[in-house]
Amino acid sequence: MDIRVLRYFLTVAREESFSHAAEKLFLSQPTLSRQIKDMEEELGVALFIRTNRNVILTKEGLRLRKRAQEIVELMDKTQEEFMNLEEEISGDVYIGGGETHLMREIAKIALSLQEEHPDIRYHLHSGNAEDVSERLDKGLLDFGIVSDPADIRKYDFMRIPGHNIWGLLMPKDHPLAERQAVSPKDLEGVPLIISRQNLVPGALSTWLGKNIDTMKVVGTYNLIFNAALMVEQGLGCAIAFDQLVNTMAVNRLCFRPLTPRLEMGMNLVWKKYQLFSPAAEAFLNKVQETFQS
């Protein structure tokens, strides 16, 4: 399977049209159609449902699109690494992780390294631990930022200084806003919006003393920004890390820590025996130098 044809396939999937895709690719429509047809024959499946108006991915086409995107991203990343094998360190560093204020520590290191090597670029991917681990294992990320108690035994890692504090994000006129901290008993009957990761038994379930699904969960989130908008509109209160949402005087929201206090550390992880690009290796050296000191 040719990487070039995979790019053709992704363009048709994005444009939902062979004619529009052909224009984007500077190909004739018959040539593009023939290339996709040959791919379908090679795989033994139909990738598109063709109609008079557009084309739609089949179930097999959806599966290939996910794989093709990963393959193309990895190919582009590999090409970038070899293009930047030169005396002056430059290139790209790919970092994935969930939302945490500890990302400031990574940003400080990136800024310090930029003063030495201004041509290094950083690409950030936001996702939960499962997503980050998958992309890390496939080589699409150089580094991942994962919170405790994730299983990081298969990775090399360094502890990021500091910790996250769990708490409740709520409107300032919510009855619990009068409390200094929020206990498990306080949350009984309260509509909650939680991170999808917390659906799996873990630290939050231990703190509650019961499974999270016994609580009144009205929604889940992946990124707290969108969840905060739901909280602002009154859908529920969000259980989240501290320092991720602005709760200054002009904001309608406030944050109260959980009690007993629930903290969580973060780790920078990377694949064992990883062969880094010069840019990623320089970043790791700076991380080790900074955190060990």
Side-chain angles (χ1 to χ4, degrees):
M1 192 180 302
D2 194 316
I3 186 72
R4 173 177 50 86
V5 182
L6 284 179
R7 294 185 191 274
Y8 293 171
F9 164 76
L10 289 173
T11 304
V12 175
R14 183 176 64 250
E15 297 295 326
E16 297 183 347
S17 164
F18 276 94
S19 60
H20 291 167
E23 291 177 8
K24 296 279 186 181
L25 295 166
F26 302 102
L27 294 172
S28 69
Q29 185 173 335
T31 298
L32 179 58
S33 297
R34 182 69 256 170
Q35 295 279 2
I36 300 300
K37 190 66 177 176
D38 289 345
M39 176 184 283
E40 290 178 317
E41 291 176 357
E42 179 183 352
L43 295 174
V45 296
L47 299 173
F48 293 100
I49 299 172
R50 295 158 172 83
T51 71
N52 291 332
R53 298 181 61 185
N54 61 359
V55 293
I56 305 168
L57 285 169
T58 63
K59 180 176 67 175
E60 293 77 13
L62 289 169
R63 182 189 298 271
L64 178 61
R65 182 174 65 179
K66 182 176 186 298
R67 296 300 180 206
Q69 287 172 335
E70 293 172 350
I71 291 168
V72 169
E73 284 181 27
L74 187 58
M75 176 65 74
D76 290 342
K77 183 172 181 289
T78 303
Q79 289 176 337
E80 288 170 359
E81 289 176 1
F82 278 88
M83 287 171 61
N84 291 293
L85 288 175
E86 52 191 38
E87 184 174 344
E88 175 57 37
I89 296 177
S90 63
D92 302 274
V93 178
Y94 295 83
I95 306 171
E99 294 176 301
T100 170
H101 72 89
L102 299 182
M103 190 65 187
R104 290 190 182 95
E105 303 302 320
I106 302 301
K108 291 175 185 176
I109 290 171
L111 179 60
S112 175
L113 187 61
Q114 190 180 52
E115 294 174 357
E116 302 172 29
H117 306 293
D119 293 328
I120 293 179
R121 296 176 298 273
Y122 297 89
H123 305 275
L124 305 180
H125 172 81
S126 295
N128 60 28
E130 182 180 353
D131 176 42
V132 169
S133 180
E134 180 182 354
R135 295 179 71 86
L136 197 61
D137 293 344
K138 290 178 178 177
L140 300 176
L141 295 174
D142 297 310
F143 304 98
I145 300 173
V146 297
S147 62
D148 294 333
D151 185 0
I152 57 175
R153 290 174 295 180
K154 64 179 180 179
Y155 300 116
D156 286 327
F157 67 94
M158 288 202 73
R159 191 76 163 178
I160 300 176
H163 54 260
N164 299 291
I165 299 173
W166 282 104
L168 193 69
L169 186 68
M170 67 191 109
K172 288 180 177 177
D173 58 0
H174 193 279
L176 291 178
E178 299 177 1
R179 305 286 182 94
Q180 294 298 311
V182 177
S183 70
K185 185 174 178 58
D186 293 331
L187 295 182
E188 292 180 3
V190 175
L192 298 176
I193 303 171
I194 64 171
S195 167
R196 283 196 284 275
Q197 286 183 254
N198 293 132
L199 292 174
V200 180
L204 190 56
S205 295
T206 301
W207 177 83
L208 283 167
K210 52 187 170 183
N211 289 336
I212 193 71
D213 57 12
T214 63
M215 306 298 289
K216 189 176 180 180
V217 177
V218 297
T220 64
Y221 68 86
N222 185 34
L223 299 175
I224 189 60
F225 177 80
N226 290 332
L229 298 180
M230 297 292 189
V231 174
E232 190 176 282
Q233 293 304 310
L235 179 66
C237 301
I239 297 180
F241 286 156
D242 63 326
Q243 300 187 50
L244 293 180
V245 176
N246 177 21
T247 56
M248 301 299 287
V250 294
N251 198 287
R252 297 174 56 190
L253 303 179
C254 65
F255 180 91
R256 297 292 181 266
L258 303 182
T259 183
R261 192 177 178 92
L262 183 59
E263 298 178 352
M264 192 163 289
M266 303 292 289
N267 304 281
L268 183 75
V269 303
W270 60 93
K271 289 170 64 176
K272 290 185 176 181
Y273 315 112
Q274 171 80 353
L275 182 61
F276 286 116
S277 68
E281 185 173 5
F283 175 79
L284 179 58
N285 290 338
K286 181 64 73 171
V287 165
Q288 292 170 329
E289 172 190 324
T290 303
F291 289 172
Q292 288 173 353
S293 62

